[in-house]
Amino acid sequence: MSPREVVMPVVRRARQSPVTVAVFLLVVLTSAVGVAMRVAHHTMGQQAFGPFRVFAASTGVVAFLLTLAGVIVLVGASERLMGSWRTATAFVVTTVVGTGLGALSAFIDLDGRDAGALILGRATAFDPWTAVVGTISTASAFAGPLWRRRIRVNTLAVVAALFLYAGHASDLYAVLAAAAGWILGEVLRKTPKRTGWTRSSHRETRVLLGTVVLVSAVGPVIALVSRARVGLLAPIAAVVGTGPVTPVSGCRADGVAGECLRHLLAYRVSDPWTLLLVVPPLLALVVGALGLFRGSRFAVWLVVVIDTVTAIAAAVTYTAVPGRVARLHGTEDQFIVTLSIVASVLVPLATAVVLVVLRRSFTVLPTRRRLATFGAVVLGTAVVLVGILLVVADASPARVDDPLRIAVAALGPISPTTFWEHLPSMDPGLRFALGIAGPVLWLVVAIAAVRPTGAAPQDHDPDGTRDARDRARALLKAGGGDTFGWMTTWHGNAYWFAPDGRAGIAYRRNGGVAVTLGGPFGYEDARTPALAAFARHCDDNGWTPVFYGVDDSVAAPLRAVGWSTLPVAEDADFDPRPWTTSGKKKQDVRTSVNKAKREGITATWSSWHDLPVATTRQIEAISEEWVSERELPEMGFTLGGVDEMRDPDVRTLVAQDAEGTVLAVTSWLPSYREGRVVGWTLDVMRRTGAAPNGVMEFLVASAADQMREDGVERLSLSAAPLAQAPGSAPSGDGVQSLLDLVGGVLEPVYGFRSLLKFKLKFGPDLHPLVLAYPDAVALPSIGVAVVRAYLPDLSLRQTLALARGRG
């Protein structure tokens, strides 16, 4: 490759991002001037002024490279999102607002100094990260729902952690710049703005909360190694850092709360050994955060316990000191000290409360075996450590007669500091044992939690049903299934298998009702006998069996033994081999295909893992935007999402324009017979707001072309749940009335009935799917169970919203 081929792409990119290039050069120039001034004056910026002060004080290679990387990545992304002039405006305005308002903080700590000179000095102390944070915060308004939320949450989490734990002036400037950018972005954005809370998918909720917890784990470390810290949450870092054997002046029964706080804030980790002892409880928090990313319910409770223990330790440390905060020495402000103490207790508690409230977004449950293993390992370690501490304490000249204090020592770095102020001088052996016990316990907690939290990839197995899902997958490939066949491999299902292992049924239980996901799957001759065997299994467990979404091959034998049925959906399919777009009924499809070809739109058939990363990121953003536009939580059961698209056996069909921008995406579930794919079922359908009309028709027609080439026998447009074809005879059953009500209410949100009309454009064959039930007395509970299968997280508020929408 010639030098020209290397240079020209860089030049083209630079021309497209002039503001980014200008800021990059400004950083390099001011850094060079700052270094020159430092060499000339042999100081760290004492004679520097204005915008050079920060660079003169932070000329380290790492800081310099991080700043340049921040400019290239964040300012560059901002310029791509909102254009050059808006980027330049945001860079200047957020810097002026953040630094200007931050300079007013000088009034809080004048300490006899001249206010004007102090404010002027702070107002001219330009920090490039203030501008970078403000610019990307402004640009977030121009991103889609997924990245807008991610940019804002991540930005807020980082700057808030730095401000609350370290509390430097530059951290305050960054917080103010981020807030200013948020407001400025909404002002500059001309498109209609949506007000109110924007819903996140379960997956995005996990990402956001995991990020917050991860940042909260890093925050105390930042504060402990910081040279000076005045943040509101610095006391948490101090409590974590001191532990039970570090003497802290004022933190004693006859001490003063203000003095205790002041000396805790002055504490700083200065050696690797002490920092190593501090890390284990924070490492456990990191493991919990990684588990949250994977949707682990166990990780939720792990983080809740750690945050609660941290809050209790902070509360005991300060409230155990009887001296009132008013009895302060020096110039500390009573209100600030009180606020800092309160924040140190309430912030971790608030995090715990949010996790408990949103716990239903975390559906991955560990097996009972892994829970038992975790409990046994942690409890066993705690018993051994307490036993060792009791033995060491008994042999020590400084006798400790209170077993409770020995047990509390096992909390190590986050045990209340005031618990140990009364101890006489400890010999080295006892001090070492007390200092090492807590970190060892928390390290064991972190390691033992890896598997049950799902922080390790192999633990992604909700309900402990991985073996059952693998068995179901093997049966589906060998013997096949119905329309809902591949959906039985999704998370959240329970499984029943015939004694001979040749058939199985997937179901979800709500209360005393077991709602199946379609009919039996497996070898065809074993499916009908499986109906009676599953019914007996439910009867043995006191459940009412309900076969949901089954065709006549399943419904007929059930009716023969006295079961009742009612229609719940229409399955639409056709044979793609003879199918074409010719004919008057398919005119809309034909027009859409021709339009897409003229506009250079292409369709890519691929598995998720074979798609480029840039494409999958766009698909995730499109899906998140779709979820955010709905007032109800994600539906499951027979409706998939991005998580289901990641299955290696599933195929995606992506519509992209000539520049590679994703316009729409569909996913297709396989149907097998004797180990060979004989059909595909449409599942996910998502499109961007900018996609041209007819793009979905183009994708389905393209799928038919692909399947024709592959010799596939059946293309199913899937069953539109809670929707029936025009002219279907209504039923007078109470459960039918309930399902009709739910279907009508969900129509404006999910468009099931509109979706059925869309499918009719392709001239498919329609097959009614029914719900089969044994006893009409159970109809009310059956109706509730079906609704709960689709909307397990439906709250009372959302139920009322549904009712209002219906009205």
mmCIF file of all heavy atoms in Angstrom, residues 296-339:
data_model
loop_
_atom_site.group_PDB
_atom_site.id
_atom_site.type_symbol
_atom_site.label_atom_id
_atom_site.label_comp_id
_atom_site.label_asym_id
_atom_site.label_seq_id
_atom_site.Cartn_x
_atom_site.Cartn_y
_atom_site.Cartn_z
ATOM 1 N N SER A 296 -28.689 -11.085 35.321
ATOM 2 C CA SER A 296 -28.743 -12.006 36.454
ATOM 3 C C SER A 296 -29.553 -11.432 37.608
ATOM 4 O O SER A 296 -29.251 -10.356 38.119
ATOM 5 C CB SER A 296 -27.320 -12.326 36.933
ATOM 6 O OG SER A 296 -27.343 -12.998 38.165
ATOM 7 N N ARG A 297 -30.548 -12.153 38.045
ATOM 8 C CA ARG A 297 -31.325 -11.755 39.224
ATOM 9 C C ARG A 297 -30.476 -11.908 40.487
ATOM 10 O O ARG A 297 -30.608 -11.110 41.427
ATOM 11 C CB ARG A 297 -32.576 -12.631 39.326
ATOM 12 C CG ARG A 297 -33.511 -12.293 40.475
ATOM 13 C CD ARG A 297 -34.299 -11.008 40.232
ATOM 14 N NE ARG A 297 -35.130 -11.093 39.076
ATOM 15 C CZ ARG A 297 -36.354 -11.639 39.024
ATOM 16 N NH1 ARG A 297 -36.873 -12.171 40.124
ATOM 17 N NH2 ARG A 297 -37.059 -11.637 37.911
ATOM 18 N N PHE A 298 -29.605 -12.900 40.516
ATOM 19 C CA PHE A 298 -28.720 -13.068 41.660
ATOM 20 C C PHE A 298 -27.793 -11.866 41.796
ATOM 21 O O PHE A 298 -27.497 -11.421 42.907
ATOM 22 C CB PHE A 298 -27.894 -14.351 41.510
ATOM 23 C CG PHE A 298 -26.946 -14.602 42.659
ATOM 24 C CD1 PHE A 298 -27.385 -15.233 43.811
ATOM 25 C CD2 PHE A 298 -25.626 -14.201 42.584
ATOM 26 C CE1 PHE A 298 -26.519 -15.459 44.874
ATOM 27 C CE2 PHE A 298 -24.753 -14.417 43.635
ATOM 28 C CZ PHE A 298 -25.197 -15.048 44.779
ATOM 29 N N ALA A 299 -27.319 -11.321 40.672
ATOM 30 C CA ALA A 299 -26.456 -10.140 40.716
ATOM 31 C C ALA A 299 -27.187 -8.947 41.327
ATOM 32 O O ALA A 299 -26.575 -8.126 42.012
ATOM 33 C CB ALA A 299 -25.962 -9.794 39.308
ATOM 34 N N VAL A 300 -28.481 -8.848 41.063
ATOM 35 C CA VAL A 300 -29.271 -7.769 41.667
ATOM 36 C C VAL A 300 -29.177 -7.831 43.184
ATOM 37 O O VAL A 300 -28.864 -6.840 43.859
ATOM 38 C CB VAL A 300 -30.743 -7.858 41.217
ATOM 39 C CG1 VAL A 300 -31.616 -6.904 42.028
ATOM 40 C CG2 VAL A 300 -30.860 -7.544 39.736
ATOM 41 N N TRP A 301 -29.419 -9.012 43.741
ATOM 42 C CA TRP A 301 -29.418 -9.137 45.200
ATOM 43 C C TRP A 301 -28.013 -9.029 45.769
ATOM 44 O O TRP A 301 -27.835 -8.533 46.887
ATOM 45 C CB TRP A 301 -30.074 -10.449 45.601
ATOM 46 C CG TRP A 301 -31.519 -10.503 45.217
ATOM 47 C CD1 TRP A 301 -32.118 -11.336 44.332
ATOM 48 C CD2 TRP A 301 -32.558 -9.625 45.695
ATOM 49 N NE1 TRP A 301 -33.459 -11.050 44.222
ATOM 50 C CE2 TRP A 301 -33.755 -10.010 45.053
ATOM 51 C CE3 TRP A 301 -32.598 -8.567 46.594
ATOM 52 C CZ2 TRP A 301 -34.967 -9.374 45.286
ATOM 53 C CZ3 TRP A 301 -33.811 -7.937 46.830
ATOM 54 C CH2 TRP A 301 -34.968 -8.334 46.183
ATOM 55 N N LEU A 302 -27.005 -9.455 45.022
ATOM 56 C CA LEU A 302 -25.624 -9.307 45.485
ATOM 57 C C LEU A 302 -25.271 -7.828 45.634
ATOM 58 O O LEU A 302 -24.726 -7.404 46.662
ATOM 59 C CB LEU A 302 -24.667 -9.985 44.505
ATOM 60 C CG LEU A 302 -23.170 -9.832 44.826
ATOM 61 C CD1 LEU A 302 -22.826 -10.560 46.117
ATOM 62 C CD2 LEU A 302 -22.317 -10.355 43.663
ATOM 63 N N VAL A 303 -25.590 -7.030 44.614
ATOM 64 C CA VAL A 303 -25.295 -5.597 44.670
ATOM 65 C C VAL A 303 -26.125 -4.916 45.753
ATOM 66 O O VAL A 303 -25.632 -4.027 46.458
ATOM 67 C CB VAL A 303 -25.546 -4.935 43.299
ATOM 68 C CG1 VAL A 303 -25.370 -3.424 43.381
ATOM 69 C CG2 VAL A 303 -24.603 -5.519 42.247
ATOM 70 N N VAL A 304 -27.376 -5.339 45.890
ATOM 71 C CA VAL A 304 -28.234 -4.762 46.934
ATOM 72 C C VAL A 304 -27.622 -5.006 48.314
ATOM 73 O O VAL A 304 -27.569 -4.088 49.157
ATOM 74 C CB VAL A 304 -29.655 -5.355 46.849
ATOM 75 C CG1 VAL A 304 -30.450 -5.032 48.118
ATOM 76 C CG2 VAL A 304 -30.378 -4.817 45.630
ATOM 77 N N VAL A 305 -27.130 -6.209 48.557
ATOM 78 C CA VAL A 305 -26.520 -6.521 49.853
ATOM 79 C C VAL A 305 -25.259 -5.694 50.073
ATOM 80 O O VAL A 305 -25.055 -5.112 51.145
ATOM 81 C CB VAL A 305 -26.207 -8.025 49.950
ATOM 82 C CG1 VAL A 305 -25.349 -8.319 51.168
ATOM 83 C CG2 VAL A 305 -27.506 -8.832 50.021
ATOM 84 N N ILE A 306 -24.395 -5.602 49.058
ATOM 85 C CA ILE A 306 -23.150 -4.850 49.210
ATOM 86 C C ILE A 306 -23.430 -3.373 49.467
ATOM 87 O O ILE A 306 -22.835 -2.748 50.350
ATOM 88 C CB ILE A 306 -22.267 -5.024 47.960
ATOM 89 C CG1 ILE A 306 -21.817 -6.474 47.828
ATOM 90 C CG2 ILE A 306 -21.050 -4.103 48.028
ATOM 91 C CD1 ILE A 306 -21.057 -6.764 46.553
ATOM 92 N N ASP A 307 -24.351 -2.793 48.692
ATOM 93 C CA ASP A 307 -24.678 -1.379 48.884
ATOM 94 C C ASP A 307 -25.313 -1.137 50.250
ATOM 95 O O ASP A 307 -25.049 -0.113 50.899
ATOM 96 C CB ASP A 307 -25.622 -0.897 47.777
ATOM 97 C CG ASP A 307 -24.879 -0.586 46.486
ATOM 98 O OD1 ASP A 307 -23.648 -0.440 46.546
ATOM 99 O OD2 ASP A 307 -25.528 -0.486 45.428
ATOM 100 N N THR A 308 -26.150 -2.055 50.686
ATOM 101 C CA THR A 308 -26.780 -1.893 51.997
ATOM 102 C C THR A 308 -25.746 -1.971 53.118
ATOM 103 O O THR A 308 -25.767 -1.170 54.062
ATOM 104 C CB THR A 308 -27.862 -2.969 52.198
ATOM 105 O OG1 THR A 308 -28.828 -2.876 51.148
ATOM 106 C CG2 THR A 308 -28.561 -2.780 53.530
ATOM 107 N N VAL A 309 -24.831 -2.939 53.025
ATOM 108 C CA VAL A 309 -23.776 -3.060 54.033
ATOM 109 C C VAL A 309 -22.899 -1.815 54.041
ATOM 110 O O VAL A 309 -22.514 -1.311 55.109
ATOM 111 C CB VAL A 309 -22.921 -4.318 53.767
ATOM 112 C CG1 VAL A 309 -21.685 -4.335 54.653
ATOM 113 C CG2 VAL A 309 -23.759 -5.573 54.011
ATOM 114 N N THR A 310 -22.576 -1.283 52.850
ATOM 115 C CA THR A 310 -21.769 -0.068 52.758
ATOM 116 C C THR A 310 -22.473 1.105 53.433
ATOM 117 O O THR A 310 -21.861 1.876 54.180
ATOM 118 C CB THR A 310 -21.485 0.274 51.289
ATOM 119 O OG1 THR A 310 -20.825 -0.830 50.664
ATOM 120 C CG2 THR A 310 -20.610 1.501 51.175
ATOM 121 N N ALA A 311 -23.767 1.251 53.158
ATOM 122 C CA ALA A 311 -24.526 2.351 53.765
ATOM 123 C C ALA A 311 -24.583 2.205 55.283
ATOM 124 O O ALA A 311 -24.448 3.204 56.017
ATOM 125 C CB ALA A 311 -25.940 2.388 53.185
ATOM 126 N N ILE A 312 -24.784 0.986 55.763
ATOM 127 C CA ILE A 312 -24.836 0.766 57.212
ATOM 128 C C ILE A 312 -23.484 1.085 57.846
ATOM 129 O O ILE A 312 -23.411 1.721 58.914
ATOM 130 C CB ILE A 312 -25.255 -0.675 57.517
ATOM 131 C CG1 ILE A 312 -26.715 -0.898 57.100
ATOM 132 C CG2 ILE A 312 -25.076 -0.994 58.997
ATOM 133 C CD1 ILE A 312 -27.170 -2.340 57.218
ATOM 134 N N ALA A 313 -22.393 0.661 57.188
ATOM 135 C CA ALA A 313 -21.065 0.942 57.726
ATOM 136 C C ALA A 313 -20.810 2.440 57.807
ATOM 137 O O ALA A 313 -20.268 2.949 58.803
ATOM 138 C CB ALA A 313 -19.998 0.269 56.864
ATOM 139 N N ALA A 314 -21.203 3.174 56.761
ATOM 140 C CA ALA A 314 -21.029 4.625 56.779
ATOM 141 C C ALA A 314 -21.880 5.260 57.869
ATOM 142 O O ALA A 314 -21.435 6.161 58.588
ATOM 143 C CB ALA A 314 -21.387 5.218 55.418
ATOM 144 N N ALA A 315 -23.127 4.788 57.998
ATOM 145 C CA ALA A 315 -24.020 5.351 59.004
ATOM 146 C C ALA A 315 -23.494 5.106 60.414
ATOM 147 O O ALA A 315 -23.479 6.007 61.262
ATOM 148 C CB ALA A 315 -25.421 4.766 58.849
ATOM 149 N N VAL A 316 -23.045 3.867 60.688
ATOM 150 C CA VAL A 316 -22.538 3.544 62.018
ATOM 151 C C VAL A 316 -21.268 4.318 62.320
ATOM 152 O O VAL A 316 -21.042 4.790 63.440
ATOM 153 C CB VAL A 316 -22.293 2.027 62.140
ATOM 154 C CG1 VAL A 316 -21.611 1.688 63.458
ATOM 155 C CG2 VAL A 316 -23.610 1.267 62.021
ATOM 156 N N THR A 317 -20.423 4.486 61.304
ATOM 157 C CA THR A 317 -19.167 5.208 61.512
ATOM 158 C C THR A 317 -19.412 6.623 62.011
ATOM 159 O O THR A 317 -18.718 7.123 62.902
ATOM 160 C CB THR A 317 -18.359 5.257 60.204
ATOM 161 O OG1 THR A 317 -17.954 3.924 59.875
ATOM 162 C CG2 THR A 317 -17.120 6.126 60.351
ATOM 163 N N TYR A 318 -20.424 7.277 61.452
ATOM 164 C CA TYR A 318 -20.660 8.673 61.816
ATOM 165 C C TYR A 318 -21.648 8.824 62.968
ATOM 166 O O TYR A 318 -21.462 9.645 63.864
ATOM 167 C CB TYR A 318 -21.141 9.460 60.592
ATOM 168 C CG TYR A 318 -20.113 9.468 59.496
ATOM 169 C CD1 TYR A 318 -20.381 8.904 58.269
ATOM 170 C CD2 TYR A 318 -18.847 10.009 59.722
ATOM 171 C CE1 TYR A 318 -19.418 8.888 57.270
ATOM 172 C CE2 TYR A 318 -17.887 9.991 58.737
ATOM 173 C CZ TYR A 318 -18.175 9.439 57.513
ATOM 174 O OH TYR A 318 -17.227 9.416 56.540
ATOM 175 N N THR A 319 -22.726 8.046 62.965
ATOM 176 C CA THR A 319 -23.729 8.218 64.017
ATOM 177 C C THR A 319 -23.252 7.669 65.353
ATOM 178 O O THR A 319 -23.789 8.012 66.400
ATOM 179 C CB THR A 319 -25.047 7.529 63.625
ATOM 180 O OG1 THR A 319 -24.799 6.141 63.382
ATOM 181 C CG2 THR A 319 -25.622 8.164 62.379
ATOM 182 N N ALA A 320 -22.236 6.783 65.323
ATOM 183 C CA ALA A 320 -21.711 6.274 66.593
ATOM 184 C C ALA A 320 -20.900 7.319 67.331
ATOM 185 O O ALA A 320 -20.584 7.164 68.505
ATOM 186 C CB ALA A 320 -20.841 5.040 66.343
ATOM 187 N N VAL A 321 -20.569 8.413 66.623
ATOM 188 C CA VAL A 321 -19.844 9.507 67.269
ATOM 189 C C VAL A 321 -20.875 10.456 67.858
ATOM 190 O O VAL A 321 -21.628 11.089 67.131
ATOM 191 C CB VAL A 321 -18.953 10.254 66.252
ATOM 192 C CG1 VAL A 321 -18.214 11.382 66.926
ATOM 193 C CG2 VAL A 321 -17.970 9.277 65.620
ATOM 194 N N PRO A 322 -20.974 10.574 69.183
ATOM 195 C CA PRO A 322 -22.050 11.357 69.784
ATOM 196 C C PRO A 322 -21.892 12.859 69.586
ATOM 197 O O PRO A 322 -22.857 13.600 69.708
ATOM 198 C CB PRO A 322 -21.974 10.985 71.268
ATOM 199 C CG PRO A 322 -20.545 10.606 71.483
ATOM 200 C CD PRO A 322 -20.107 9.949 70.220
ATOM 201 N N GLY A 323 -20.698 13.335 69.325
ATOM 202 C CA GLY A 323 -20.506 14.764 69.151
ATOM 203 C C GLY A 323 -21.330 15.291 68.004
ATOM 204 O O GLY A 323 -21.405 14.676 66.949
ATOM 205 N N ARG A 324 -21.952 16.440 68.160
ATOM 206 C CA ARG A 324 -22.796 16.989 67.118
ATOM 207 C C ARG A 324 -21.934 17.587 66.009
ATOM 208 O O ARG A 324 -20.815 18.026 66.229
ATOM 209 C CB ARG A 324 -23.717 18.068 67.694
ATOM 210 C CG ARG A 324 -24.746 17.522 68.664
ATOM 211 C CD ARG A 324 -25.630 18.611 69.227
ATOM 212 N NE ARG A 324 -24.864 19.528 70.090
ATOM 213 C CZ ARG A 324 -24.548 20.753 69.763
ATOM 214 N NH1 ARG A 324 -24.896 21.230 68.590
ATOM 215 N NH2 ARG A 324 -23.872 21.526 70.602
ATOM 216 N N VAL A 325 -22.489 17.586 64.778
ATOM 217 C CA VAL A 325 -21.760 18.132 63.644
ATOM 218 C C VAL A 325 -21.437 19.606 63.866
ATOM 219 O O VAL A 325 -20.483 20.146 63.333
ATOM 220 C CB VAL A 325 -22.586 17.943 62.345
ATOM 221 C CG1 VAL A 325 -21.893 18.574 61.153
ATOM 222 C CG2 VAL A 325 -22.809 16.464 62.081
ATOM 223 N N ALA A 326 -22.227 20.268 64.678
ATOM 224 C CA ALA A 326 -21.978 21.694 64.937
ATOM 225 C C ALA A 326 -20.650 21.916 65.636
ATOM 226 O O ALA A 326 -20.061 22.989 65.553
ATOM 227 C CB ALA A 326 -23.106 22.266 65.793
ATOM 228 N N ARG A 327 -20.149 20.909 66.358
ATOM 229 C CA ARG A 327 -18.881 21.058 67.080
ATOM 230 C C ARG A 327 -17.733 20.778 66.121
ATOM 231 O O ARG A 327 -17.084 19.752 66.154
ATOM 232 C CB ARG A 327 -18.843 20.080 68.253
ATOM 233 C CG ARG A 327 -19.882 20.344 69.330
ATOM 234 C CD ARG A 327 -19.969 19.164 70.284
ATOM 235 N NE ARG A 327 -18.656 18.817 70.811
ATOM 236 C CZ ARG A 327 -18.391 17.669 71.434
ATOM 237 N NH1 ARG A 327 -19.341 16.763 71.571
ATOM 238 N NH2 ARG A 327 -17.177 17.418 71.892
ATOM 239 N N LEU A 328 -17.521 21.663 65.195
ATOM 240 C CA LEU A 328 -16.492 21.472 64.185
ATOM 241 C C LEU A 328 -15.285 22.330 64.497
ATOM 242 O O LEU A 328 -15.385 23.398 65.089
ATOM 243 C CB LEU A 328 -17.036 21.844 62.799
ATOM 244 C CG LEU A 328 -18.222 21.006 62.298
ATOM 245 C CD1 LEU A 328 -18.698 21.543 60.973
ATOM 246 C CD2 LEU A 328 -17.847 19.554 62.180
ATOM 247 N N HIS A 329 -14.142 21.836 64.057
ATOM 248 C CA HIS A 329 -12.916 22.606 64.190
ATOM 249 C C HIS A 329 -12.504 23.086 62.807
ATOM 250 O O HIS A 329 -12.733 22.418 61.813
ATOM 251 C CB HIS A 329 -11.803 21.732 64.790
ATOM 252 C CG HIS A 329 -12.144 21.207 66.149
ATOM 253 N ND1 HIS A 329 -12.091 21.986 67.273
ATOM 254 C CD2 HIS A 329 -12.564 19.970 66.548
ATOM 255 C CE1 HIS A 329 -12.439 21.253 68.327
ATOM 256 N NE2 HIS A 329 -12.736 20.033 67.909
ATOM 257 N N GLY A 330 -11.857 24.199 62.688
ATOM 258 C CA GLY A 330 -11.416 24.714 61.410
ATOM 259 C C GLY A 330 -12.536 25.463 60.719
ATOM 260 O O GLY A 330 -13.410 26.061 61.346
ATOM 261 N N THR A 331 -12.546 25.401 59.389
ATOM 262 C CA THR A 331 -13.480 26.215 58.609
ATOM 263 C C THR A 331 -14.546 25.383 57.919
ATOM 264 O O THR A 331 -15.222 25.865 57.025
ATOM 265 C CB THR A 331 -12.698 27.005 57.542
ATOM 266 O OG1 THR A 331 -12.017 26.061 56.685
ATOM 267 C CG2 THR A 331 -11.687 27.934 58.184
ATOM 268 N N GLU A 332 -14.705 24.108 58.264
ATOM 269 C CA GLU A 332 -15.715 23.282 57.610
ATOM 270 C C GLU A 332 -17.109 23.870 57.825
ATOM 271 O O GLU A 332 -17.444 24.351 58.893
ATOM 272 C CB GLU A 332 -15.688 21.844 58.152
ATOM 273 C CG GLU A 332 -14.489 21.032 57.706
ATOM 274 C CD GLU A 332 -13.301 21.254 58.621
ATOM 275 O OE1 GLU A 332 -13.412 22.106 59.517
ATOM 276 O OE2 GLU A 332 -12.294 20.611 58.425
ATOM 277 N N ASP A 333 -17.881 23.794 56.780
ATOM 278 C CA ASP A 333 -19.249 24.279 56.844
ATOM 279 C C ASP A 333 -20.163 23.182 57.370
ATOM 280 O O ASP A 333 -20.125 22.052 56.913
ATOM 281 C CB ASP A 333 -19.714 24.729 55.457
ATOM 282 C CG ASP A 333 -21.112 25.284 55.469
ATOM 283 O OD1 ASP A 333 -21.277 26.462 55.832
ATOM 284 O OD2 ASP A 333 -22.033 24.528 55.138
ATOM 285 N N GLN A 334 -20.998 23.545 58.354
ATOM 286 C CA GLN A 334 -21.843 22.548 58.999
ATOM 287 C C GLN A 334 -22.786 21.891 57.997
ATOM 288 O O GLN A 334 -22.973 20.674 57.996
ATOM 289 C CB GLN A 334 -22.655 23.205 60.108
ATOM 290 C CG GLN A 334 -23.645 22.247 60.781
ATOM 291 C CD GLN A 334 -24.423 22.935 61.882
ATOM 292 O OE1 GLN A 334 -24.041 24.012 62.317
ATOM 293 N NE2 GLN A 334 -25.497 22.314 62.320
ATOM 294 N N PHE A 335 -23.377 22.685 57.111
ATOM 295 C CA PHE A 335 -24.331 22.142 56.149
ATOM 296 C C PHE A 335 -23.652 21.160 55.199
ATOM 297 O O PHE A 335 -24.184 20.083 54.905
ATOM 298 C CB PHE A 335 -24.981 23.277 55.352
ATOM 299 C CG PHE A 335 -25.838 22.799 54.212
ATOM 300 C CD1 PHE A 335 -27.098 22.264 54.450
ATOM 301 C CD2 PHE A 335 -25.370 22.860 52.903
ATOM 302 C CE1 PHE A 335 -27.875 21.817 53.399
ATOM 303 C CE2 PHE A 335 -26.151 22.419 51.855
ATOM 304 C CZ PHE A 335 -27.414 21.899 52.107
ATOM 305 N N ILE A 336 -22.460 21.494 54.708
ATOM 306 C CA ILE A 336 -21.756 20.637 53.766
ATOM 307 C C ILE A 336 -21.404 19.302 54.414
ATOM 308 O O ILE A 336 -21.546 18.233 53.814
ATOM 309 C CB ILE A 336 -20.492 21.338 53.238
ATOM 310 C CG1 ILE A 336 -20.877 22.584 52.436
ATOM 311 C CG2 ILE A 336 -19.669 20.387 52.384
ATOM 312 C CD1 ILE A 336 -21.704 22.271 51.212
ATOM 313 N N VAL A 337 -20.927 19.371 55.672
ATOM 314 C CA VAL A 337 -20.564 18.138 56.367
ATOM 315 C C VAL A 337 -21.795 17.247 56.551
ATOM 316 O O VAL A 337 -21.759 16.043 56.321
ATOM 317 C CB VAL A 337 -19.917 18.465 57.721
ATOM 318 C CG1 VAL A 337 -19.724 17.193 58.536
ATOM 319 C CG2 VAL A 337 -18.577 19.155 57.506
ATOM 320 N N THR A 338 -22.897 17.855 56.983
ATOM 321 C CA THR A 338 -24.127 17.087 57.176
ATOM 322 C C THR A 338 -24.592 16.468 55.867
ATOM 323 O O THR A 338 -24.970 15.290 55.813
ATOM 324 C CB THR A 338 -25.230 17.994 57.745
ATOM 325 O OG1 THR A 338 -24.778 18.587 58.956
ATOM 326 C CG2 THR A 338 -26.496 17.190 58.004
ATOM 327 N N LEU A 339 -24.558 17.267 54.786
ATOM 328 C CA LEU A 339 -24.978 16.772 53.484
ATOM 329 C C LEU A 339 -24.092 15.624 53.022
ATOM 330 O O LEU A 339 -24.564 14.633 52.455
ATOM 331 C CB LEU A 339 -24.939 17.908 52.453
ATOM 332 C CG LEU A 339 -25.431 17.562 51.038
ATOM 333 C CD1 LEU A 339 -26.890 17.129 51.073
ATOM 334 C CD2 LEU A 339 -25.255 18.767 50.110
#
